[in-house]
Amino acid sequence: MIKSRSTRLLATLVVGTAVLLAGCSSSAPEATDSQANKHLTLLYHFKSGTLDPHNDWVALRAGVVETLVRLDDQLQLKPWLATEWSTTDNIRWTFTIRDNITFQDGTKLDAAAVKASFERGIRVSKTLANSLKIASLEANGQQLTLVTTQPHPSLPSELVNPYAAVVSVAAEQKMGSDAFNQAPVGTGPFQVTKFAPNAEIALKRYDNYWDGAAKLDTLTFKFNEDGNVRALGLQTKEADIATQLPPESIAPIQADPALKIESIPSLRVHFLLFNHQKPSMQDINVRRAINALLNRESIAKDVMLGNATPANGPFSTRLPFSSKDAVPALNLNEAKQRLTAAGYEAGADGKWVKNGQPLTLELITYKGRPELPLIAQLLQSDAAKIGLTLNIKTVENVDTYLRENRDWDLVTYSNLAAPRGDGGYFLNSALMPGGALNAANFTSPQLSEVVQRLNATSDLAQRVAVTQEAVRVIKEEVPHAYTVYPNLIIGVNKRITNWQPGSEEYYIITNKLDVK
Amino acid sequence: MWRFLRKRLLQLALVLFLLSVVTFGLMKLAPGDPVLQLLRIDQVVVTQAEEAALRNQLGFDRPLLAQFGDWLLGIVQLDLGTSLLQKRPVWDVLIDRLPTTLLLAAGGLLVTLLLAVPLAFLAARYPGRWPDHLSRLLALVGSSIPSFWMGLLLMYLFAYQLNWLPTMGQGGLSHLILPSLTLGLSMAALYARLLRAGLLESLSQEYIRAARARGLAERRILTKHALRGALLPVITVFGMSTGHVLAGTVVVESLFGWPGLGSMAIEAILQRDFPVIQGYVLLTGTTIVLINMLVDLSYGWLDPRIRYGKGGLS
């Protein structure tokens, strides 16, 4: 029996919180009748607070919306919602929109719907507006005429960007923008049934999907940003697919006969970015010396536990325009020769000196990607073997640091080199004067000429050839020292069939995806 | 009473003003802004000129004082501004996340109470005997394991080995158990020790001896007479640890995939979404000050000696 005030206080607290909890978390148990209902749960490493297809990629990744052009598994452009496209001057483009497609709200996909969708996208996303450079749009039946503000040969590749997804603007007008951004209506194989921002998306099959209704009935697309928890989620069988697993979780997953690991090359490249404003770094021999000090083999094998491929240029070996040359190995002698060629001499203490000035370089790194500081340490120890001193400095916000400071010499860096299977993005952003990723304002007349030529080329085969030319110039001028192409590590339950992860990380949920 | 409240509310305003000056200053001193994120330089070609233009458009190149003045002007009109990245009113962003964090905090608190109170009573009833040792051991373990590790251990045991509970996500009560345990265990350890110490001190007081002399049952003495005095330090620490609970949910939220205020704050800080950070600091600041005010008020209710101004604990 409760008699005193204080015990009553305690009891009230306990009962109160219990009632609060019960009240807040009342929900029906999930239906998991695997016989009747084919269901799958995916654990994704990056959370989203909105499903607005023009501001977040997740709606495309979850199979809700689609784009006019896509990449195939060889990372080549392929028709999707558009069956074909053509241009004579790289300014006036005609796209034929695939017939007999309906949005998930039942309205027909025609050129007018695509036009309305682009107009919406440009209104809500500055990024999309900047990348498409649209001056005017004209719709006629299934024929869409698109005029750009300037010659824009890479337009088809820009249309692969998930922000260029086609949505039903009619549905948005009916639902209101807020509701639409929680449950967008597209042409994909799955439609949103419920969205809990930053937690999960519940999806169900869209029966009238144009490419054949999906094999799965329902699907849960969950977000969790902790790699160990994603691995555990896969091991408990709560999740069937878990993306971006930490390398140390691979062994326990492989030990489970029901699970497997897919480790595939990504389109990202880790590299050393040189500060071309510093006289020492302007000397190509110094850059070549550091390039020869990179032990790419060991970085791939020891630092990244085999989940990376040594790099010989910015573009991953899977891409048609990647360099086919052998990957340079660690070569201490070459590094010494290059430094001597740059006019440095080994002093009495073994340190390199030029005009009485010792060569000491500041190497910046950051923890955003855990392997980068380790790469810096490995480079530091190999450089020390030939008497070259590198001082490592770890910074919090690397891009701001590079912009606001001038005293650094080199930095461990990482970029997506070909996000849409095209090299133009990296060449323009990281290697052209004024590009946002060109922190040290590297300028090379020869490379700029090639990139400008690429920017004026629309023929795909020719683009590959010109990009290869740029890769050769890069190899000659060493503006960066490319280190490794990191892998994507994905854990999969073996009951999943008809599914392969792709390097582009776009087309995760498809109509073919099935479970045993 | 009213004078006390008025004074406290004035203090609240002052605290919040100072808090916002400090956070605003610190955030602006820290390197970085959301421009690169907003332009999505990792996905599309952007030029440094476009970067500079956006920085100018958002007013980041204006004098700090002018930026702060604008924000303060909004606050006095109860307008927290708009999130730079989510492009929604900060108030809506906060309100979306608040229930999740409150639910988690309530779960953690329930675990704390359910564990700490019985442990403390046992330990105080049998000081130096095995219940006391057990509670000391649990307290040591609970407070020395960091919550990210505790969370993973609990998941490994209950979700992976035993398969009783889900690892993550929201849904039924079962989804709440592991996050609440993770959050509650470390707090329970502290409270159990605190309440035990309080109980033992109360038990040595004159009025307890008087109660014993009147022949009251030991259990009744413990739950009725000793507990009330012992609750004072516990309530004080509770008030002070509200901040800890709100902040401590950060780790638990990201482990268990709970989109609450804590993980929102971390995101906002990493992305330099200044209005959201400011809004979060104001909201948590207000909560902490208000709870501490309630704690002060509760002293009089718990201990009549304070109410009548006759000394006692102060």
Side-chain angles (χ1 to χ4, degrees):
Chain A
M1 205 159 35
I2 298 163
K3 281 178 185 158
S4 78
R5 261 186 185 172
S6 35
T7 36
R8 228 173 353 198
L9 171 74
L10 272 179
T12 320
L13 272 176
V14 172
V15 173
T17 38
V19 167
L20 184 67
L21 291 182
C24 289
S25 57
S26 59
S27 83
E30 288 168 41
T32 46
D33 187 4
S34 55
Q35 289 297 312
N37 185 39
K38 276 191 173 180
H39 181 88
L40 177 150
T41 301
L42 178 131
L43 264 181
Y44 196 68
H45 60 275
F46 194 77
K47 59 185 175 188
S48 294
T50 174
L51 292 186
D52 178 1
H54 295 142
N55 275 303
D56 198 292
W57 287 2
V58 75
L60 183 121
R61 286 179 166 141
V64 178
V65 295
E66 296 171 317
T67 48
L68 294 187
V69 186
R70 64 169 286 165
L71 300 176
D72 64 12
D73 49 9
Q74 296 305 308
L75 301 167
Q76 312 273 354
L77 295 184
K78 198 178 119 180
W80 208 9
L81 292 181
T83 50
E84 56 185 359
W85 56 89
S86 63
T87 180
T88 48
D89 54 3
N90 289 327
I91 292 181
R92 198 179 167 82
W93 299 77
T94 34
F95 287 86
T96 309
I97 309 300
R98 198 179 289 276
D99 216 348
N100 299 323
I101 295 183
T102 51
F103 285 106
Q104 291 149 1
D105 64 349
T107 52
K108 181 176 164 47
L109 175 79
D110 54 16
V114 178
K115 175 175 184 263
S117 173
F118 279 157
E119 282 164 353
R120 177 205 192 260
I122 288 167
R123 203 179 62 242
V124 303
S125 164
K126 202 169 146 34
T127 312
L128 185 68
N130 284 346
S131 70
L132 295 188
K133 306 187 200 310
I134 290 178
S136 70
L137 288 161
E138 205 182 296
N140 185 3
Q142 296 301 109
Q143 206 78 355
L144 180 76
T145 309
L146 197 156
V147 179
T148 52
T149 54
Q150 62 190 75
H152 194 7
S154 57
L155 179 72
S157 154
E158 293 298 337
L159 287 173
V160 170
N161 191 326
Y163 294 142
V166 179
V167 300
S168 166
V169 175
E172 184 184 23
Q173 279 160 356
K174 211 179 286 172
M175 298 159 73
S177 285
D178 286 344
F180 185 81
N181 290 340
Q182 304 269 309
V185 175
T187 55
F190 287 92
Q191 54 195 120
V192 180
T193 47
K194 189 167 172 266
F195 174 54
N198 299 302
E200 64 179 65
I201 317 170
L203 299 148
K204 70 165 192 215
R205 172 174 55 208
Y206 170 47
D207 290 324
N208 296 322
Y209 181 58
W210 60 275
D211 198 20
K215 302 276 192 285
L216 297 172
D217 297 280
T218 53
L219 201 144
T220 310
F221 198 104
K222 272 193 188 182
F223 309 115
N224 193 302
E225 295 194 322
D226 191 296
N228 292 313
V229 175
R230 287 196 299 278
L232 215 51
L234 189 73
Q235 286 170 278
T236 59
K237 315 291 184 293
E238 277 177 82
D240 302 289
I241 300 174
T243 61
Q244 256 194 35
L245 298 176
E248 53 290 357
S249 72
I250 292 179
I253 288 175
Q254 277 172 336
D256 187 329
L259 307 174
K260 63 176 177 181
I261 289 282
E262 301 267 8
S263 182
I264 61 160
S266 69
L267 300 179
R268 180 170 283 283
V269 62
H270 290 348
F271 58 98
L272 298 176
L273 178 64
F274 298 119
N275 185 354
H276 297 275
Q277 303 299 314
K278 294 276 284 250
S280 54
M281 286 292 128
Q282 278 167 357
D283 191 329
I284 187 163
N285 278 311
V286 176
R287 302 205 296 271
R288 285 202 172 130
I290 291 168
N291 195 38
L293 286 172
L294 273 173
N295 191 346
R296 298 169 167 87
E297 198 65 37
S298 169
I299 292 170
K301 210 174 91 213
D302 306 319
V303 174
M304 305 190 63
L305 304 177
N307 295 291
T309 318
N312 56 1
F315 304 116
S316 156
T317 39
R318 285 202 61 188
L319 291 158
F321 41 81
S322 64
S323 170
K324 307 291 178 240
D325 302 342
V327 176
L330 171 71
N331 190 334
L332 299 181
N333 277 333
E334 188 196 334
K336 280 188 211 165
Q337 282 162 13
R338 298 283 183 197
L339 284 180
T340 314
Y344 291 90
E345 287 170 352
D349 55 353
K351 306 279 185 211
W352 295 89
V353 185
K354 183 178 176 179
N355 303 330
Q357 292 289 320
L359 182 63
T360 305
L361 301 176
E362 188 173 63
L363 168 57
I364 306 295
T365 188
Y366 59 101
K367 288 180 180 157
R369 295 180 181 273
E371 61 272 18
L372 294 185
L374 301 177
I375 293 175
Q377 282 174 23
L378 188 67
L379 178 65
Q380 185 188 42
S381 81
D382 283 329
K385 285 180 193 157
I386 64 157
L388 175 61
T389 311
L390 298 181
N391 292 325
I392 296 181
K393 185 169 175 183
T394 308
V395 300
E396 193 65 37
N397 190 324
V398 71
D399 290 307
T400 308
Y401 185 90
L402 299 186
R403 196 177 64 235
E404 291 176 355
N405 294 279
R406 287 280 158 248
D407 55 343
W408 55 278
D409 294 287
L410 60 164
V411 53
T412 60
Y413 210 64
S414 176
N415 275 137
L416 213 49
R420 287 168 290 285
D422 186 90
Y425 158 77
F426 186 77
L427 295 173
N428 277 291
S429 296
L431 292 160
M432 286 292 270
L437 296 175
N438 190 356
N441 266 322
F442 168 76
T443 316
S444 149
Q446 206 194 340
L447 187 62
S448 295
E449 186 273 317
V450 180
V451 176
Q452 267 153 14
R453 200 142 34 84
L454 175 72
N455 290 348
T457 308
S458 63
D459 178 70
L460 287 180
Q462 254 179 315
R463 280 187 77 83
V464 169
V466 179
T467 310
Q468 275 168 339
E469 205 178 319
V471 170
R472 276 195 297 276
V473 177
I474 289 169
K475 201 166 176 108
E476 210 50 52
E477 304 201 346
V478 203
H480 304 140
Y482 302 98
T483 315
V484 288
Y485 311 115
N487 276 11
L488 300 168
I489 306 173
I490 298 142
V492 187
N493 192 308
K494 284 181 183 161
R495 76 185 191 105
I496 303 291
T497 56
N498 286 335
W499 190 78
Q500 269 297 314
S503 296
E504 82 298 327
E505 298 177 76
Y506 287 163
Y507 316 111
I508 299 176
I509 304 298
T510 67
N511 58 331
K512 308 274 190 300
L513 172 60
D514 201 356
V515 291
K516 271 193 273 210
Chain B
M1 179 74 173
W2 293 117
R3 239 182 60 195
F4 169 78
L5 269 182
R6 209 169 48 228
K7 200 171 129 201
R8 272 322 185 80
L9 287 175
L10 269 175
Q11 277 176 359
L12 171 69
L14 188 69
V15 165
L16 291 182
F17 175 72
L18 288 177
L19 204 60
S20 61
V21 173
V22 172
T23 359
F24 194 89
L26 281 179
M27 279 323 294
K28 288 288 174 179
L29 283 177
D33 59 35
V35 167
L36 299 183
Q37 288 258 4
L38 282 168
L39 288 173
R40 302 196 160 85
I41 59 160
D42 52 341
Q43 296 158 7
V44 290
V45 178
V46 174
T47 63
Q48 290 167 6
E50 284 166 342
E51 262 183 59
L54 183 60
R55 212 160 267 137
N56 178 273
Q57 190 196 326
L58 293 173
F60 290 155
D61 49 1
R62 290 167 57 220
L64 268 190
L65 221 56
Q67 294 185 41
F68 183 64
D70 274 3
W71 180 78
L72 206 61
L73 211 64
I75 292 299
V76 291
Q77 299 165 39
L78 296 181
D79 175 12
L80 289 172
T82 307
S83 159
L84 294 171
L85 283 135
Q86 302 185 41
K87 311 222 165 66
R88 294 167 59 213
V90 170
W91 182 247
D92 291 358
V93 176
L94 292 175
I95 287 302
D96 273 2
R97 301 287 193 108
L98 188 63
T100 314
T101 294
L102 285 184
L103 183 61
L104 195 59
L109 203 63
L110 184 70
V111 169
T112 307
L113 287 172
L114 287 179
L115 281 174
V117 174
L119 268 180
F121 270 95
L122 277 174
R125 182 75 181 81
Y126 308 104
R129 307 251 302 273
W130 68 263
D132 194 17
H133 295 313
L134 181 73
S135 95
R136 188 175 293 126
L137 184 75
L138 286 178
L140 194 69
V141 171
S143 55
S144 46
I145 297 183
S147 50
F148 71 89
W149 180 234
M150 174 81 85
L152 281 175
L153 282 179
L154 289 172
M155 268 186 217
Y156 184 79
L157 181 66
F158 290 104
Y160 180 56
Q161 290 293 348
L162 299 171
N163 228 331
W164 288 352
L165 295 166
T167 46
M168 73 193 89
Q170 282 173 288
L173 263 179
S174 61
H175 288 87
L176 191 61
I177 296 176
L178 288 184
S180 302
L181 269 179
T182 311
L183 192 64
L185 276 176
S186 62
M187 290 199 299
L190 174 73
Y191 286 102
R193 296 312 289 169
L194 211 63
L195 188 57
R196 170 194 173 272
L199 281 173
L200 282 178
E201 200 196 310
S202 297
L203 284 174
S204 66
Q205 301 282 322
E206 294 282 325
Y207 62 85
I208 296 293
R209 203 190 298 175
R212 285 207 177 108
R214 294 205 322 267
L216 293 178
E218 190 64 19
R219 202 168 114 204
R220 191 152 172 217
I221 293 174
L222 208 60
T223 55
K224 186 176 152 97
H225 299 274
L227 177 63
R228 224 202 255 185
L231 274 182
L232 279 181
V234 177
I235 296 277
T236 310
V237 173
F238 171 73
M240 292 196 299
S241 60
T242 336
H244 168 81
V245 176
L246 285 177
T249 55
V250 175
V251 175
V252 181
E253 278 173 15
S254 71
L255 264 183
F256 291 93
W258 278 59
L261 277 178
S263 49
M264 179 212 69
I266 294 289
E267 276 158 45
I269 291 169
L270 289 177
Q271 301 170 335
R272 299 282 187 268
D273 196 341
F274 302 122
V276 175
I277 303 171
Q278 293 286 82
Y280 171 77
V281 170
L282 278 190
L283 180 73
T284 44
T286 314
T287 317
I288 291 169
V289 174
L290 283 179
I291 288 191
N292 277 295
M293 209 160 94
L294 286 178
V295 166
D296 286 355
L297 287 173
S298 77
Y299 288 161
W301 183 62
L302 278 170
D303 191 340
R305 290 172 298 179
I306 296 176
R307 200 170 19 186
Y308 300 125
K310 287 181 184 167
L313 299 163
S314 56

